[in-house]
Amino acid sequence: AQTVTQSQPEMSVQEAETVTLSCTYDTSESNYYLFWYKQPPSRQMILVIRQEAYKQQNATENRFSVNFQKAAKSFSLKISDSQLGDTAMYFCAFMNHNTGTASKLTFGTGTRLQVTL
Amino acid sequence: KAGVTQTPRYLIKTRGQQVTLSCSPISGHRSVSWYQQTPGQGLQFLFEYFSETQRNKGNFPGRFSGRQFSNSRSEMNVSTLELGDSALYLCASSFWGSGDEQFFGPGTRLTVL
């Protein structure tokens, strides 16, 4: 079974600054996906960024980038130029890569990020 | 394109009752997954349906069941409700399942009294 660990329950960052959220995972699989999801207060969960384990290049999406260290089983999220709208709960998640099979996400416990003025 | 919709958004039930929650996926999506979100246990996978077949199931008791219809809409049912079933129930849809981006609905907030 896979496990995902987020060791930072809460973080705070000032607007325009950079913040890094940590995530580690444990799996015996060699092919999988990793995700960061954002859940704003009272709003629905949306995908921030996705990383395929077989790709060595770190994924980036505008102000969001990841540092994927496969050997260390680490998958951190960096948010640059933080904005007030980034305030949310951030979940790291794992999914096995088996084409045509079930889409089961295993989530970490989340990091609550507060962006302040 | 319309997003994932879930009905009802809020439900209040009493112990021992049963409840049915509904999820309409994004048009064209054939995979629908259900998750339970609680402060204590976090986000936990319930089950996933693809083309009306359950492909995977999480570690929940048999009181939790689901089904999917030919139009990909899905329902989940919880029988003999317990206080611990109070949670936000989220559904997510995708085209094929594994590896696809999962699009989440707003959730159904179930309160069991």
Side-chain angles (χ1 to χ4, degrees), chain A residues 33 35 37 39 42-47 50 89 91 95-109, chain B residues 4 9 31 33 35 37 43-45 48 55-58 88 90 94 96-106:
Chain A
Y33 295 93
F35 305 85
Y37 279 91
Q39 189 176 38
S42 301
R43 293 177 61 188
Q44 59 203 80
M45 187 111 64
I46 58 173
L47 178 67
R50 181 179 91 162
M89 194 74 154
F91 292 97
M95 180 190 289
N96 265 332
H97 181 193
N98 291 306
T99 302
T101 61
S103 56
K104 175 185 175 180
L105 285 163
T106 300
F107 286 93
T109 51
Chain B
V4 178
R9 292 294 310 279
S31 167
S33 301
Y35 294 85
Q37 186 175 21
L43 281 150
Q44 294 186 288
F45 173 79
E48 188 250 13
R55 288 198 298 194
N56 202 350
K57 189 177 189 302
L88 181 66
L90 298 171
S94 67
W96 299 109
S98 181
D100 291 341
E101 178 177 352
Q102 305 293 305
F103 292 84
F104 282 83

Side-chain angles (χ1 to χ4, degrees), chain A residues 24-60:
Chain A
T24 58
Y25 60 94
D26 189 26
T27 183
S28 57
E29 303 290 335
S30 59
N31 208 3
Y32 48 86
Y33 295 93
L34 294 164
F35 305 85
W36 279 98
Y37 279 91
K38 166 185 176 182
Q39 189 176 38
S42 301
R43 293 177 61 188
Q44 59 203 80
M45 187 111 64
I46 58 173
L47 178 67
V48 174
I49 199 164
R50 181 179 91 162
Q51 176 79 43
E52 295 164 31
Y54 69 89
K55 289 186 177 179
Q56 293 186 346
Q57 186 172 8
N58 289 324
T60 62

